[in-house]
Amino acid sequence: NRIKAAEELREYDPKTFPDIVPALTDALTNDPSLKVRAESAESIGKINLVSPKAGYALEQSQRFDSSKTVRESARSALLQYRVRGYRSGKDTDGTSIQTNEPPFAS
């Protein structure tokens, strides 16, 4: 069951299992089931690892997913993700957009 799998993946350490966040991101953006997409968004929001590509996928799902349930799950997860340090400003492939401002000092 893909829904249960998306839920259970949040229990694993993404540093030990680095394929978790990409798998959830893929499910969020590509799975035909709205329940799988919504659960994937929730799991991304609960994982204690910030990924620019996952954050971008949450932003896109919040704006454009055809399901209101998925959009709401993505919005909630994105709020949690931002608390963990995610900041927008990514291009469509999830890479950073270069700005004219210098980087913050350490």
Side-chain angles (χ1 to χ4, degrees), residues 34-75:
L34 73 93
K35 291 181 180 182
V36 172
R37 294 193 313 272
E39 194 62 50
S40 296
E42 290 179 29
S43 289
I44 290 170
K46 292 180 180 181
I47 288 178
N48 197 19
L49 178 73
V50 174
S51 160
K53 289 184 180 184
Y56 182 77
L58 288 170
E59 289 178 332
Q60 295 302 299
S61 294
Q62 175 190 356
R63 291 183 197 138
F64 303 116
D65 197 277
S66 60
S67 165
K68 182 179 179 182
T69 300
V70 175
R71 291 191 307 270
E72 290 173 354
S73 293
R75 181 183 58 222

Side-chain angles (χ1 to χ4, degrees), residues 74-87:
R75 181 183 58 222
S76 175
L78 193 54
L79 290 172
Q80 295 172 15
Y81 224 53
R82 286 184 175 140
V83 167
R84 289 189 178 88
Y86 173 74
R87 297 294 173 259

